[in-house]
Amino acid sequence: LGHGAFGTATVLPDGRILKLTSDPSEVQAGYVLTGKKLKHVVDIYGAWFVRGVRVKATVAIDPNGRPKKTHQWPMGISIVERVTPLDRDSTGFEGLTNAVINYKQEHHLFPAYFTKIGPARTRTILKDGSEGLEAVLRDNGKWLRTHDMVDDAYLAEGVADALKETREYGVYAVDVHGGNVGYVE
């Protein structure tokens, strides 16, 4: 189905998605959100770590495109509802991705930084980051509405709502770029 920096996903015979990931925060968030029916978040049917299995993940790339820094993380599995990805050529995809990347860069919200600080400090930074990103997306939604870009405004506001919903369960998401967002048909 697809892959990213930390894992890969495939479609199961029943239509749900099986994700393999080396991002422990994704597995932990999945575990916390399993069985929760949230309006703006994919249904999660289960999330587990594979005992005894660790995976090398690239957390930084040098200017030549080669891995500069790697980290060993536990392998995780999650089973989630299938969503239709956003159209990569849409203004909503591009706008959401740019807003998230700019915000993450401005506030140093990347895995390489978090490997240098403790988990308590990381949670505080991610909580603040999730709240701040929600505010940015809500402001973007207002601006988009005033410029008659209603579909893009709806997307920005929906992602902002998802950030708020996950925080209610102690999950502080910030990696909500266009490639990690979709919709249920």
Side-chain angles (χ1 to χ4, degrees):
L1 183 65
H3 66 281
F6 290 95
T8 189
T10 189
V11 180
L12 295 171
D14 65 4
R16 296 181 300 172
I17 304 300
L18 172 71
K19 294 181 74 178
L20 301 175
T21 183
S22 61
D23 181 350
S25 65
E26 183 176 1
V27 179
Q28 291 165 337
Y31 180 80
V32 169
L33 298 174
T34 293
K36 308 291 189 275
K37 295 293 184 189
L38 304 176
K39 183 177 180 183
H40 297 91
V41 179
V42 65
D43 286 342
I44 302 170
Y45 302 104
W48 312 267
F49 287 107
V50 180
R51 187 173 296 176
V53 177
R54 295 184 72 76
V55 179
K56 186 185 290 187
T58 301
V59 293
I61 297 175
D62 72 14
N64 297 320
R66 293 187 306 263
K68 181 168 93 174
K69 181 172 174 120
T70 60
H71 194 77
Q72 292 277 336
W73 277 310
M75 169 58 83
I77 298 172
S78 61
I79 298 176
V80 301
E81 173 183 25
R82 185 172 188 171
V83 298
T84 301
L86 298 178
D87 177 1
R88 291 187 175 273
D89 295 327
S90 69
T91 58
F93 180 97
E94 182 179 352
L96 177 62
T97 298
N98 289 339
V100 169
I101 289 173
N102 290 338
Y103 186 85
K104 286 173 62 176
Q105 287 175 339
E106 184 178 329
H107 296 278
H108 309 288
L109 299 174
F110 291 99
Y113 175 70
F114 296 129
T115 62
K116 300 174 186 176
I117 62 175
R121 181 77 178 120
T122 295
R123 283 190 59 76
T124 299
I125 291 169
L126 286 174
K127 181 178 183 287
D128 293 345
S130 176
E131 291 170 346
L133 182 55
E134 177 192 349
V136 165
L137 293 174
R138 291 202 189 284
D139 287 346
N140 287 357
K142 289 176 188 172
W143 185 90
L144 290 163
R145 283 191 187 284
T146 64
H147 290 81
D148 294 324
M149 300 173 76
V150 178
D151 289 342
D152 293 345
Y154 182 74
L155 173 63
E157 294 160 354
V159 173
D161 288 343
L163 293 174
K164 183 177 180 180
E165 287 175 345
T166 60
R167 278 198 316 277
E168 292 173 7
Y169 292 95
V171 174
Y172 308 127
V174 293
D175 198 24
V176 290
H177 57 77
N180 282 348
V181 174
Y183 58 94
V184 177
E185 293 181 354

